[in-house]
Amino acid sequence: MLEHTIEKSKTKQYSVQSIIGKIDGFGFRFDNATQRESGQWSPKTKGNLISDILQGNPVPNLTFAEQVINGIVITWNLDGKQRCTTAYEFYNNQFRISRAVRRYAIEYQTIAKDKGGDIVLGSDGFPTMEKKTFDIRNKRFRDLPRELQERFLEYTFDCTLYLNCTDEDIEYHVQRYNDGKPMTLAQKGMGSLGTKYSAIVKRIADMPFFKDCGDYRMSEYRNGTIDKTVIEGIMASSYRENWGKNDVMCAFLKENASEADFERFADIIDRLEEIITESLSELFNSRDSFIWFALFAEFDKMGLDDSQFAEFLTAFQESLHSKEIGGTTYDEINAFRNTKDKKIVISKLDLLTGLMDEYFKESVEEARCA
């Protein structure tokens, strides 16, 4: 185990070749639960980074945090994921440099050779050097001349490395490094949830249901919206009276929830995956999913077969959305603009629970008598 020191951070340099080795050997981790998802760089942005590396231009520093977990040193990336992974992907010939790259003519020196391929020596007996220019557009790493391949691998990134970090230290540094960058509300909220529960939320958000059974956009996986959907679902299912803004709910869950709350919600997602058909998937989007997750938690108390919940959702789509309960309908409540205001959320759930109780009244009585 590494000994703790009073030193909090240090500067360091990593060559591209070293970064490639660290990624291959799982020495660098890019998946800390409190870190927001990185947006995918465009081909042009990737090409511009490779061009800068080949020119020897400085690029923004990388930031890492070392944490000792069970005697093993974990090096988390806090800032610079796309720079690292772009260099790694280019080395492994996973993309060609875009034709739209900002500077594509890269100069380099090489040993002059005659037509027969022999090295040209000067009068002093040393090889003669000559300058060449290489067009990197539409090229992979394997297409570069040897000299540029070596230059690429030898390029060094300046880095800041934080030492002996706790979970709280990493949460703090993640938030610090994101202060100057626009973050979505969902991403800000995850910073308030803490490492332990953030990791569970990300695991749930990665369950097949969200890709196969809902009406979610691909961008919502990158900007934290699916994570936010999970948090809303847990709150609506277990703590609806404490409903509020996303960061407030995250802070509440961190202080008051248990792992059992998250596991119960994961079970809800698992079971819904088995019964939600293509026609019902339109109900499950980032705006409304939490309502149906919470309603299923209420349905679960009835002791009926899960397939009957899908039956109720189908009836809701066909006609129940406009059926009056307590002097109002779901459509009327849903017409309000702020659909995630606490009063609206509770009103919807109360109305839907009333509709569901009425719809299943006979079935519940039969189940009790059986």
Side-chain angles (χ1 to χ4, degrees):
M1 178 183 293
L2 291 185
E3 293 184 3
H4 284 248
T5 69
I6 61 173
E7 191 178 19
K8 290 187 175 181
S9 67
K10 65 181 179 181
T11 57
K12 193 168 182 174
Q13 288 188 321
Y14 285 110
S15 68
V16 169
Q17 188 159 34
S18 175
I19 289 171
I20 291 167
K22 291 282 189 181
I23 294 175
D24 278 334
F26 299 94
F28 285 162
R29 294 283 299 272
F30 299 95
D31 57 346
N32 187 271
T34 58
Q35 178 65 295
R36 63 178 173 174
E37 297 296 330
S38 299
Q40 294 298 311
W41 276 8
S42 68
K44 181 180 178 180
T45 303
K46 288 184 175 183
N48 284 334
L49 175 69
I50 303 304
S51 175
D52 279 333
I53 289 174
L54 293 175
Q55 293 174 71
N57 293 335
V59 300
N61 288 15
L62 307 176
T63 307
F64 296 91
E66 278 189 354
Q67 184 178 26
V68 180
I69 301 177
N70 298 326
I72 298 173
V73 178
I74 306 296
T75 304
W76 301 103
N77 175 260
L78 303 183
D79 191 55
K81 174 180 178 179
Q82 292 297 321
R83 276 159 272 161
C84 292
T85 56
T86 294
Y88 180 81
E89 291 168 3
F90 182 68
Y91 171 74
N92 285 287
N93 300 298
Q94 293 178 16
F95 68 89
R96 298 178 186 272
I97 295 176
S98 168
R99 290 189 174 277
V101 67
R102 186 180 298 114
R103 178 169 289 180
Y104 56 84
I106 307 298
E107 293 184 348
Y108 67 100
Q109 276 196 144
T110 186
I111 296 174
K113 294 182 180 180
D114 60 25
K115 292 181 179 180
D118 296 321
I119 295 174
V120 177
L121 301 177
S123 57
D124 56 3
F126 288 99
T128 300
M129 304 301 293
E130 65 177 347
K131 285 187 176 181
K132 287 188 175 182
T133 300
F134 186 78
D135 185 343
I136 62 173
R137 290 176 297 183
N138 205 36
K139 302 296 193 300
R140 300 181 191 271
F141 177 80
R142 63 176 176 240
D143 302 318
L144 301 182
R146 177 182 56 81
E147 292 83 359
L148 289 184
Q149 290 183 347
E150 291 176 354
R151 185 187 295 180
F152 175 77
L153 292 172
E154 291 169 0
Y155 180 87
T156 57
F157 288 94
D158 290 324
C159 306
T160 298
L161 182 65
Y162 292 99
L163 307 171
N164 304 320
C165 292
T166 63
D167 284 344
E168 290 73 21
D169 291 333
I170 292 173
E171 290 173 32
Y172 171 75
H173 289 308
V174 165
Q175 292 180 12
R176 273 201 324 123
Y177 277 90
N178 285 313
D179 274 348
K181 303 175 184 179
M183 296 180 73
T184 66
L185 292 176
Q187 291 164 342
K188 288 179 181 177
M190 287 292 280
S192 304
L193 188 60
T195 302
K196 176 183 175 182
Y197 290 152
S198 291
I200 300 175
V201 166
K202 287 184 179 291
R203 173 172 61 80
I204 295 173
D206 199 41
M207 291 174 72
F209 172 87
F210 293 97
K211 292 184 174 66
D212 299 338
C213 302
D215 188 21
Y216 307 101
R217 298 188 297 274
M218 287 305 298
S219 61
E220 292 177 329
Y221 291 91
R222 295 193 297 270
N223 63 21
T225 299
I226 304 302
D227 298 337
K228 181 170 177 279
T229 298
V230 172
I231 291 163
E232 290 173 343
I234 294 169
M235 285 296 298
S237 301
S238 301
Y239 300 101
R240 71 182 64 171
E241 292 302 324
N242 299 98
W243 184 271
K245 292 184 177 180
N246 188 60
D247 57 341
V248 174
M249 292 194 295
C250 286
F252 175 87
L253 289 174
K254 182 180 180 181
E255 295 301 321
N256 297 281
S258 66
E259 285 190 51
D261 294 322
F262 291 81
E263 294 307 323
R264 278 194 296 271
F265 184 73
D267 180 62
I268 286 174
I269 300 302
D270 248 340
R271 290 162 64 185
L272 285 173
E273 184 185 344
E274 298 297 320
I275 61 171
I276 298 305
T277 61
E278 185 175 350
S279 62
L280 294 176
S281 65
E282 64 184 41
L283 294 173
F284 292 86
N285 51 53
S286 57
R287 177 185 128 145
D288 298 322
S289 287
F290 69 94
I291 291 289
W292 309 114
F293 296 150
L295 191 64
F296 185 81
E298 292 298 318
F299 167 82
D300 191 40
K301 299 172 185 177
M302 295 180 169
L304 303 177
D305 188 83
D306 287 357
S307 63
Q308 289 177 270
F309 185 69
E311 177 191 318
F312 170 76
L313 292 182
T314 300
F316 172 82
Q317 285 182 315
E318 292 174 350
S319 62
L320 294 183
H321 61 87
S322 59
K323 183 173 181 178
E324 193 173 286
I325 290 280
T328 189
T329 69
Y330 183 89
D331 288 343
E332 289 170 345
I333 299 176
N334 201 42
F336 287 96
R337 288 186 61 186
N338 192 357
T339 59
K340 293 186 179 178
D341 177 82
K342 181 177 178 179
K343 290 182 179 179
I344 300 298
V345 168
I346 292 178
S347 294
K348 279 186 177 181
L349 286 172
D350 286 346
L351 184 142
L352 286 168
T353 302
L355 283 173
M356 189 168 64
D357 286 344
E358 186 176 298
Y359 185 83
F360 286 121
K361 184 177 181 180
E362 291 185 8
S363 297
V364 170
E365 288 176 354
E366 289 173 4
R368 287 173 180 168
C369 293

